[in-house]
Amino acid sequence: MFKFETLNVWKKAIAYSDKILEITDELPQRYQFSLGDQLRRAGISVPTNIAEANGRNSIKETNQLYNVARGSAYETVNLLRIALNRKLIEQETYDRLYKEAEEIARMLSGLMKKNAN
């Protein structure tokens, strides 16, 4: 088992990315190559950067990748807001995913702070 597979934040990020992929699968065709593609890439980037961070040899590199993962979580929130504004997702879906992204970002910030000490 790889170290990242034991991290709760990675487990949450994998579940989050699955939900993001489900949403993008349901977007109308005209949004698939713009909003859908960007949302897919951002959603997949969150757990991917967490995994990559745990393969690095320095704390600086690890924290840099955690920071990228956190930024990707923020990016998904922005893209979900656009989807909400276009009435492509429901408010309830947005609120649920917003909270999940917020929790992932908070957990990543905690890991970066812990690594800095």
Side-chain angles (χ1 to χ4, degrees):
M1 178 177 282
F2 289 98
K3 179 185 171 190
F4 70 84
E5 293 176 289
T6 66
L7 295 174
N8 286 333
V9 68
W10 177 79
K11 292 174 187 175
K12 288 182 184 295
I14 280 290
Y16 183 75
S17 69
D18 285 341
K19 292 171 190 169
I20 294 294
L21 290 172
E22 287 174 16
I23 286 172
T24 61
D25 287 346
E26 296 174 11
L27 291 175
Q29 185 62 39
R30 70 182 203 192
Y31 291 104
Q32 283 298 324
F33 296 109
S34 55
L35 182 62
D37 187 52
Q38 189 74 18
L39 189 52
R40 271 188 292 279
R41 285 187 284 117
I44 291 168
S45 175
V46 180
T48 301
N49 279 289
I50 294 168
E52 185 178 351
N54 282 268
R56 297 302 175 135
N57 293 322
S58 77
I59 290 173
K60 182 179 179 183
E61 286 180 302
T62 298
N63 280 353
Q64 180 181 2
L65 287 162
Y66 283 160
N67 199 39
V68 171
R70 187 177 60 181
S72 293
Y74 290 176
E75 184 180 359
T76 62
V77 169
N78 174 69
L79 295 164
L80 289 167
R81 172 59 85 166
I82 292 168
L84 177 65
N85 290 349
R86 304 291 305 163
K87 298 183 181 10
L88 301 171
I89 62 172
E90 301 292 325
Q91 182 72 50
E92 178 183 319
T93 300
Y94 174 81
D95 292 343
R96 181 174 36 84
L97 291 172
Y98 184 99
K99 287 177 186 170
E100 288 182 39
E102 193 173 41
E103 181 178 13
I104 290 166
R106 190 171 38 252
M107 291 172 81
L108 287 166
S109 293
L111 281 174
M112 288 186 284
K113 190 180 248 184
K114 180 180 171 187
N115 286 343
N117 293 330

